[in-house]
Amino acid sequence: MGHPHYIALGLMSGTSLDGVDAAFLETDGERIIRLGPSLCFEYSQEDKLILEAATQAALRWQFEGPRPNNFVAAETVILKSHIRAVNALCEDHREWAAELKLIGFHGQTVLHHPPKALFKGRTLQLGDGKALAKAVGKPVWYDFRTADMAARGQGAPLAPVYHQALVAYSKLDRPTAVLNIGGVGNVTLITKDGHIIASDTGPGNGPLDNWMSRNGMGAFDPDGKYAAAGEPHFPLVRKWLEREFFQQPTPRSADRYDFDVINDMDDLTIENGAATLAAFTTLAAVYTLNGMREKPRSLIVCGGGRHNKGMMWMLREHLDATVKTAEEVGWNSDAIEAQAFAYLAVRAKWKLPISFPTTTGVAKPMTGGVLAMP
């Protein structure tokens, strides 16, 4: 017999700083029983600026010396926003809220250092799990990455075991791969025999978002409109694909700011720059997939990148696989990462592993997460 199933609520705030995703999920920590309702609670412009300032301070700090003072203001924004997201989702869906047993809380990543030859990696997610548990009156599992990194794992990606459960839930043919294009890209291959192999792929939407913002064109490229209107500069893409990250064996992990290549692009128009960065993101994913031991028959794309028509077109051009968006297979892409942390919270409760040698490079399957009681 498996474990009892629970209704859990997952919370995710990605490095793109657009808001807090919250989602209900019913699971026993292995099978998905039901996908629940979800919402995105968007950060105000003021809150975004506070989080952006904390991220920039973290990049300067690099774990050396005292913590930046502005982390305190960022933690206040994170706590307030997550409480509101939980309350709003529970208010809108009382039948789910009535059965809610526990919460999975990711926090806000401001710095991620993968392990190097002689050094363990370090990662920092801002957010106070104990304060959240007290505020919402439910047990909260948080700090999912530290145990993996202490055991010399990459600490990321953590969604692969959930992707495996989603593919089983939807009865999809294997081998299939799930590509998430968020601030950073990551991919999970579910092999023909149901095993998972995963890695960060490199840049997601982060560099393209920065390019649009730096050129005064808003926070992102809507539907990949600018990328689609430009021509990629492939010599630059080839140069970027020779960076240290791509020389590491998989699984490898990255920080959003590891791919800050904009200073190479002074001569490019906005459209050509957008097309070049979209090509970089796409070809980094193709490069990672081509290095895996099985070729997927189908690729399911989730995260903001699924809206980028140029990225989707390039994936179809460069991969011998059927490329679909998450919505085309009946998933809600905007909720997947939040659902994943609901799933990981239930796995953590039952002491089931959340990271594996083939997903984070850790020596043996690892449990993770810290429990805060209300």
Side-chain angles (χ1 to χ4, degrees), residues 25-26 30-36 162-172 329-331:
L25 183 77
E26 186 173 357
E30 291 176 302
R31 294 171 307 131
I32 296 168
I33 315 298
R34 276 191 303 162
L35 299 173
Y162 180 63
H163 293 154
Q164 182 185 37
L166 263 180
V167 165
Y169 172 78
S170 296
K171 299 182 172 61
L172 301 179
V329 295
W331 303 346

Short mmCIF file of all heavy atoms in Angstrom, two decimals, residues 25-26 30-36 162-172 329-331:
data_model
loop_
_atom_site.label_atom_id
_atom_site.label_comp_id
_atom_site.label_asym_id
_atom_site.label_seq_id
_atom_site.Cartn_x
_atom_site.Cartn_y
_atom_site.Cartn_z
N LEU A 25 -2.77 20.67 -5.03
CA LEU A 25 -2.50 19.37 -5.65
C LEU A 25 -2.91 18.28 -4.66
O LEU A 25 -2.65 18.41 -3.46
CB LEU A 25 -0.99 19.23 -5.94
CG LEU A 25 -0.55 17.95 -6.65
CD1 LEU A 25 -0.88 18.02 -8.14
CD2 LEU A 25 0.96 17.73 -6.47
N GLU A 26 -3.54 17.23 -5.16
CA GLU A 26 -3.82 16.07 -4.32
C GLU A 26 -2.88 14.95 -4.74
O GLU A 26 -2.85 14.56 -5.92
CB GLU A 26 -5.28 15.63 -4.45
CG GLU A 26 -5.61 14.52 -3.46
CD GLU A 26 -7.09 14.15 -3.41
OE1 GLU A 26 -7.90 14.79 -4.12
OE2 GLU A 26 -7.43 13.20 -2.67
N GLU A 30 3.70 10.14 -4.57
CA GLU A 30 4.18 9.35 -5.71
C GLU A 30 3.27 9.58 -6.92
O GLU A 30 3.70 10.07 -7.95
CB GLU A 30 4.27 7.87 -5.33
CG GLU A 30 5.38 7.65 -4.32
CD GLU A 30 5.48 6.22 -3.80
OE1 GLU A 30 4.51 5.70 -3.24
OE2 GLU A 30 6.57 5.65 -3.95
N ARG A 31 1.99 9.26 -6.75
CA ARG A 31 1.04 9.49 -7.85
C ARG A 31 0.35 10.84 -7.66
O ARG A 31 0.13 11.29 -6.53
CB ARG A 31 -0.04 8.41 -7.85
CG ARG A 31 0.46 7.01 -8.18
CD ARG A 31 -0.65 5.99 -7.92
NE ARG A 31 -1.18 6.13 -6.57
CZ ARG A 31 -2.48 6.20 -6.25
NH1 ARG A 31 -3.39 6.13 -7.18
NH2 ARG A 31 -2.86 6.33 -4.99
N ILE A 32 0.00 11.46 -8.79
CA ILE A 32 -0.89 12.62 -8.74
C ILE A 32 -2.31 12.09 -8.74
O ILE A 32 -2.69 11.32 -9.62
CB ILE A 32 -0.66 13.54 -9.96
CG1 ILE A 32 0.76 14.12 -9.94
CG2 ILE A 32 -1.71 14.64 -10.02
CD1 ILE A 32 1.17 14.79 -11.24
N ILE A 33 -3.09 12.47 -7.74
CA ILE A 33 -4.50 12.05 -7.70
C ILE A 33 -5.36 13.06 -8.45
O ILE A 33 -6.15 12.70 -9.30
CB ILE A 33 -5.01 11.92 -6.24
CG1 ILE A 33 -4.01 11.18 -5.33
CG2 ILE A 33 -6.40 11.28 -6.19
CD1 ILE A 33 -3.69 9.76 -5.70
N ARG A 34 -5.16 14.36 -8.13
CA ARG A 34 -5.92 15.43 -8.81
C ARG A 34 -5.06 16.67 -8.91
O ARG A 34 -4.36 17.03 -7.96
CB ARG A 34 -7.17 15.80 -8.00
CG ARG A 34 -8.38 14.92 -8.21
CD ARG A 34 -9.63 15.54 -7.57
NE ARG A 34 -9.46 15.79 -6.14
CZ ARG A 34 -10.25 16.62 -5.43
NH1 ARG A 34 -11.22 17.29 -6.03
NH2 ARG A 34 -10.05 16.79 -4.13
N LEU A 35 -5.14 17.33 -10.07
CA LEU A 35 -4.56 18.66 -10.22
C LEU A 35 -5.59 19.67 -9.75
O LEU A 35 -6.75 19.61 -10.18
CB LEU A 35 -4.20 18.92 -11.69
CG LEU A 35 -3.17 17.98 -12.32
CD1 LEU A 35 -3.06 18.25 -13.82
CD2 LEU A 35 -1.81 18.13 -11.66
N GLY A 36 -5.18 20.58 -8.89
CA GLY A 36 -6.15 21.52 -8.31
C GLY A 36 -6.09 22.89 -8.94
O GLY A 36 -5.27 23.15 -9.84
N TYR A 162 8.61 15.58 -10.19
CA TYR A 162 7.21 15.95 -10.43
C TYR A 162 6.86 15.81 -11.92
O TYR A 162 5.77 15.34 -12.28
CB TYR A 162 6.91 17.38 -9.95
CG TYR A 162 5.47 17.76 -10.19
CD1 TYR A 162 4.44 17.05 -9.56
CD2 TYR A 162 5.12 18.77 -11.08
CE1 TYR A 162 3.10 17.36 -9.81
CE2 TYR A 162 3.79 19.08 -11.33
CZ TYR A 162 2.79 18.37 -10.70
OH TYR A 162 1.45 18.66 -10.95
N HIS A 163 7.78 16.19 -12.79
CA HIS A 163 7.56 16.00 -14.24
C HIS A 163 7.30 14.51 -14.54
O HIS A 163 6.43 14.18 -15.36
CB HIS A 163 8.77 16.47 -15.05
CG HIS A 163 9.00 17.95 -14.99
ND1 HIS A 163 10.24 18.51 -15.18
CD2 HIS A 163 8.15 18.98 -14.77
CE1 HIS A 163 10.15 19.82 -15.09
NE2 HIS A 163 8.89 20.13 -14.83
N GLN A 164 8.07 13.65 -13.88
CA GLN A 164 7.89 12.19 -14.05
C GLN A 164 6.46 11.80 -13.66
O GLN A 164 5.79 11.02 -14.37
CB GLN A 164 8.91 11.48 -13.17
CG GLN A 164 8.91 9.97 -13.25
CD GLN A 164 9.89 9.38 -12.23
OE1 GLN A 164 10.03 9.89 -11.11
NE2 GLN A 164 10.58 8.32 -12.61
N ALA A 165 5.97 12.34 -12.53
CA ALA A 165 4.61 12.03 -12.07
C ALA A 165 3.56 12.58 -13.03
O ALA A 165 2.54 11.93 -13.29
CB ALA A 165 4.39 12.59 -10.66
N LEU A 166 3.82 13.77 -13.59
CA LEU A 166 2.87 14.38 -14.55
C LEU A 166 2.76 13.54 -15.82
O LEU A 166 1.66 13.35 -16.35
CB LEU A 166 3.35 15.78 -14.94
CG LEU A 166 2.77 17.00 -14.23
CD1 LEU A 166 3.41 18.27 -14.79
CD2 LEU A 166 1.24 17.08 -14.35
N VAL A 167 3.90 13.08 -16.31
CA VAL A 167 3.90 12.26 -17.54
C VAL A 167 3.13 10.97 -17.29
O VAL A 167 2.34 10.51 -18.14
CB VAL A 167 5.35 12.01 -18.02
CG1 VAL A 167 5.42 10.89 -19.04
CG2 VAL A 167 5.93 13.31 -18.59
N ALA A 168 3.30 10.38 -16.09
CA ALA A 168 2.55 9.15 -15.75
C ALA A 168 1.05 9.46 -15.61
O ALA A 168 0.21 8.71 -16.11
CB ALA A 168 3.09 8.56 -14.44
N TYR A 169 0.73 10.58 -14.97
CA TYR A 169 -0.67 10.99 -14.75
C TYR A 169 -1.39 11.17 -16.10
O TYR A 169 -2.55 10.78 -16.26
CB TYR A 169 -0.68 12.30 -13.95
CG TYR A 169 -2.03 12.96 -13.80
CD1 TYR A 169 -2.96 12.49 -12.88
CD2 TYR A 169 -2.36 14.08 -14.56
CE1 TYR A 169 -4.20 13.11 -12.72
CE2 TYR A 169 -3.58 14.70 -14.42
CZ TYR A 169 -4.50 14.21 -13.49
OH TYR A 169 -5.73 14.84 -13.35
N SER A 170 -0.68 11.77 -17.06
CA SER A 170 -1.29 12.03 -18.37
C SER A 170 -1.11 10.87 -19.35
O SER A 170 -1.51 10.98 -20.52
CB SER A 170 -0.69 13.31 -18.98
OG SER A 170 -1.03 14.42 -18.17
N LYS A 171 -0.48 9.77 -18.87
CA LYS A 171 -0.28 8.56 -19.70
C LYS A 171 0.38 8.89 -21.04
O LYS A 171 -0.05 8.43 -22.10
CB LYS A 171 -1.62 7.83 -19.91
CG LYS A 171 -2.26 7.36 -18.60
CD LYS A 171 -3.55 6.60 -18.85
CE LYS A 171 -4.11 5.96 -17.60
NZ LYS A 171 -4.47 6.92 -16.53
N LEU A 172 1.42 9.70 -20.99
CA LEU A 172 2.12 10.09 -22.22
C LEU A 172 3.13 9.01 -22.61
O LEU A 172 3.69 8.33 -21.75
CB LEU A 172 2.85 11.42 -22.02
CG LEU A 172 1.96 12.62 -21.62
CD1 LEU A 172 2.81 13.86 -21.44
CD2 LEU A 172 0.88 12.87 -22.66
N VAL A 329 -1.01 19.36 -23.92
CA VAL A 329 -1.18 18.02 -23.33
C VAL A 329 -2.07 18.08 -22.08
O VAL A 329 -2.12 17.13 -21.30
CB VAL A 329 0.18 17.34 -23.01
CG1 VAL A 329 0.95 17.07 -24.29
CG2 VAL A 329 1.01 18.14 -22.03
N GLY A 330 -2.76 19.21 -21.89
CA GLY A 330 -3.74 19.31 -20.80
C GLY A 330 -3.18 19.78 -19.47
O GLY A 330 -3.84 19.67 -18.44
N TRP A 331 -1.94 20.33 -19.47
CA TRP A 331 -1.38 20.86 -18.23
C TRP A 331 -1.53 22.38 -18.19
O TRP A 331 -1.66 23.02 -19.24
CB TRP A 331 0.12 20.54 -18.12
CG TRP A 331 0.46 19.09 -18.19
CD1 TRP A 331 -0.38 18.02 -18.06
CD2 TRP A 331 1.77 18.54 -18.42
NE1 TRP A 331 0.31 16.85 -18.20
CE2 TRP A 331 1.64 17.12 -18.40
CE3 TRP A 331 3.04 19.09 -18.60
CZ2 TRP A 331 2.72 16.27 -18.60
CZ3 TRP A 331 4.11 18.24 -18.79
CH2 TRP A 331 3.95 16.84 -18.79
#
